[in-house]
Amino acid sequence: MPDHAFQPDPAPRRAQVAAALRARLPASCVLSDAEDTRPYECDGLAAYRQLPLVVTLPTDEAQVLAILDVCRELQVPVVPRGAGTGLSGGALPIRDGVVLSTARMSQIKRVDPLARTAVVQPGVRNLAISEAAAPFGLYYAPDPSSQIACTIGGNVAENAGGVHCLKYGLTVHNVLRVRVATIEGDVVELGGAALDAPGLDLLAVFIGSEGMLGIVTEVTVKLVPKPALAQVIMASFNDVVTAGNAVADVIAAGIIPAGLEMMDRTSVRMVEPFVQAGYDLDAAAILLCEADGTALEVAEEIARMSAVLERAGATAIAVSQNEAERVRFWSGRKNAFPAAGRISPDYYCMDGTIPRKQLARVLAGIAAMEQTYGLRCSNVFHAGDGNMHPLILFDASAPGEFERAEAFGAAILALCVEVGGTITGEHGVGKEKIDSMCVQFGRKELDAFFAVKHAFDPVALLNPDKAIPTPHRCAEFGKLHVHHGEVPFPDLPRF
C-alpha cells in the first residue's frame, strides 16, 4: 500500500512539471487535475492505489522523447502504462512521478503476409493484431485472458502468455524487434527482422523488464498461420490431485497440446453461471486440452489425449463438436477472473510457476493454506507449463481480510520457490511481489539485476520502485520472515 505518512504538498511540483510538459506537448496530452488523473491511480491490482503527479498521453515517438527529456531534466520518475490490465502493480503510479501512457499510440503500421509479421505501435490491443491479420489467414499467437483490452506494449513489458502459450510460446517467443526510447533521449532497436540479430540478445533482456529499462515505441511481431481446425477436450476428474497428475501424463506421452488448462470445482462453479460454457459442475477439477492443425492431425491428437486422460483417471470426456462450442469451452477459462466477482466481493490473483510434476503437491498445499488463513481459493492456471493463477477470495471491508489475503499469497509464492519454481510466470513482479524477490534471489543475483537496470537507466527514473528490491528492503523483510539468520529454502539453487 502507498505510504500515507506526512509528505510535502505536491501541488507546486505538479504545476512545475505540468507546465514544462505542456511547453513541449499539445495540451490534450497532459493531465494534471485530480479528476483527470484518478483513472490512472492503479492497474488491475486495484488494492494498491496512488494518484500520480501528472499523466501524459503521447501519440508518437517524438512526444515520448519530449516527455523523457522533461522528466530527466526535472528528475521526475516515470511510470510507463499500457491499458492498465496488469495484475502486479507494475503500472502503480509514484506520488511525485509522471505516468506515461502509450494508449494513444494505437496504429497498426503494416501487416506483411509474406514475411508473416506485423509492425505496430505499443498501444495496439493484442486482439486487434489478430483481427488485422485475419484476412491473410494469420494471427498473433499469445492470447492473455485480457487480450480484448491489453496492449502489445504491456505484453512486452510483462512477457505475457495466454492459454495457448504451451505450444506457441510467450511474448518473448513471438516478438522479433522492439524500438525503444531510452531515458537519455536515444532511440534504439533491439532484435530485427531475421531469426537472429548480431550482438548481445538484448531483446530477451528487454521483454519482461516491466518498464524499468525504456519505453517501447514500436513492436514487430511474428504472425502464424491460422490452423485449419481446432478441437478441445473437456475432461472431468474426481479430485485435483488426479487432474494434476494427468497433466504430467499428457506431456510425458510426447503430446504438446495447443492449450492445456485446469480449473478446480470452485472456479468451474463460479464461471458456469456467468458464461454457460457447459462445464461439468460435479467435477472436482476439469482439464481443457486443445489440438490444432489439419483435420487428420487434430483427430489423431484428440484420440491420443483422450486415451491418456482415460488412463489417468478422467471420469468424463467431452470433445467440442464445432467452432462455437470450442470457443464456449475457452470462454469460461478466459472469464474466470471477472466471474470471481459473482461469489466474492474481492479477489487477489496470484501468479507462480512450478514444475509440472509438483502440481498435485502445490494444490494440496494451497488447500491446507485455506484452513490456515481462513479464506477460500479458486485455482485456475496454465497447467501445461505449470503457471498457476490461484484466486484468493476475500472481503476488503472485513477487518484483517486483505492482510490475510496478502499473507496467503506470499505463502503460495514461497511454496512455489520451495518446490523449484518461481514467483511469477507472466504477470510480473511489479509492486506486488517485490518482497517475494527476497525469498527467491540472493544479494548477488539482485545486484546483477540492478547492474542491468543501471546500464539502461543510469539516473534511475524509469519505474524505480518496482520489481527489484533494495538491500534495505530485503533486510527489513528478512527481519519478519527469516528465522535465526537462515536464508529461506537454503537447499534450493538460486538463479
Side-chain angles (χ1 to χ4, degrees), residues 203-225:
L203 179 64
V205 172
F206 188 85
I207 295 174
S209 61
E210 303 191 37
M212 296 188 299
L213 306 183
I215 308 298
V216 178
T217 61
E218 187 178 277
V219 184
T220 301
V221 302
K222 179 174 67 175
L223 303 175
V224 295

Side-chain angles (χ1 to χ4, degrees), residues 127-472:
L127 187 58
I129 299 176
S130 291
E131 290 170 345
F136 307 103
L138 303 170
Y139 75 109
Y140 179 62
D143 56 343
S145 295
S146 58
Q147 69 176 150
I148 193 172
C150 66
T151 60
I152 192 63
N155 291 174
V156 167
E158 304 298 338
N159 192 21
V163 299
H164 290 94
C165 64
L166 177 62
K167 182 174 182 178
Y168 293 100
L170 302 165
T171 299
V172 70
H173 305 111
N174 290 275
V175 167
L176 298 173
R177 179 188 67 99
V178 293
R179 188 172 168 92
V180 178
T182 73
I183 191 64
E184 295 179 305
D186 298 319
V187 175
V188 297
E189 291 193 1
L190 307 179
L195 292 176
D196 195 10
L200 296 173
D201 186 9
L202 296 179
L203 179 64
V205 172
F206 188 85
I207 295 174
S209 61
E210 303 191 37
M212 296 188 299
L213 306 183
I215 308 298
V216 178
T217 61
E218 187 178 277
V219 184
T220 301
V221 302
K222 179 174 67 175
L223 303 175
V224 295
K226 186 174 177 61
L229 180 66
Q231 283 185 293
V232 62
I233 296 171
M234 178 178 67
S236 304
F237 293 85
N238 281 334
D239 65 81
V240 293
V241 172
T242 302
N245 290 334
V247 171
D249 290 347
V250 169
I251 303 300
I255 304 170
I256 305 297
L260 180 51
E261 302 287 308
M262 180 172 167
M263 301 171 68
D264 67 8
R265 177 181 285 136
T266 302
S267 302
V268 168
R269 290 186 174 180
M270 76 182 183
V271 165
E272 181 61 21
F274 184 52
V275 297
Q276 298 180 345
Y279 289 163
D280 182 351
L281 298 179
D282 295 323
I286 66 169
L287 293 182
L288 298 175
C289 314
E290 182 165 283
D292 66 7
T294 65
L296 287 175
E297 289 171 336
V298 170
E300 179 184 2
E301 191 166 296
I302 289 291
R304 291 179 63 203
M305 284 196 292
S306 297
V308 171
L309 294 169
E310 287 175 358
R311 289 195 300 269
T315 57
I317 290 178
V319 180
S320 62
Q321 297 303 304
N322 51 56
E323 180 64 8
E325 188 172 33
R326 184 190 74 87
V327 170
R328 191 164 64 249
F329 278 0
W330 280 122
S331 70
R333 168 59 185 89
K334 292 201 169 195
N335 283 283
F337 296 173
R342 297 178 64 88
I343 64 172
S344 177
D346 301 282
Y347 71 88
Y348 183 24
C349 178
M350 299 310 299
D351 168 48
T353 299
I354 61 174
R356 282 185 294 265
K357 64 182 180 180
Q358 298 290 350
L359 274 173
R361 176 182 170 185
V362 171
L363 287 170
I366 292 173
M369 291 177 197
E370 289 184 276
Q371 303 303 315
T372 300
Y373 295 99
L375 297 171
R376 293 177 298 163
C377 185
S378 165
N379 290 291
V380 182
F381 51 92
H382 308 309
D385 62 355
N387 186 195
M388 306 182 69
H389 293 316
L391 300 178
I392 300 169
L393 308 176
F394 70 100
D395 184 352
S397 65
E401 282 211 9
F402 176 69
E403 290 74 18
R404 293 210 310 278
E406 282 192 305
F408 192 167
I412 291 174
L413 296 181
L415 178 59
C416 290
V417 174
E418 182 181 2
V419 301
T422 183
I423 62 171
T424 182
E426 59 177 344
H427 292 176
V429 175
K431 199 75 169 179
E432 173 201 28
K433 304 187 189 77
I434 194 165
D435 287 338
S436 294
M437 288 283 284
C438 304
V439 173
Q440 179 150 20
F441 298 103
R443 191 66 255 157
K444 289 182 179 180
E445 290 87 357
L446 295 175
D447 286 344
F449 297 159
F450 271 117
V452 173
K453 177 168 175 57
H454 181 75
F456 280 85
D457 179 21
V459 289
L461 291 178
L462 295 175
N463 228 3
D465 64 339
K466 313 287 176 30
I468 310 174
T470 62
H472 174 74

Side-chain angles (χ1 to χ4, degrees), residues 20-42:
L21 288 166
R22 289 188 175 110
R24 302 283 299 274
L25 301 168
S28 62
C29 295
V30 181
L31 308 177
S32 58
D33 293 341
E35 63 180 306
D36 294 327
T37 61
R38 181 75 63 185
Y40 300 88
E41 67 180 353
C42 68

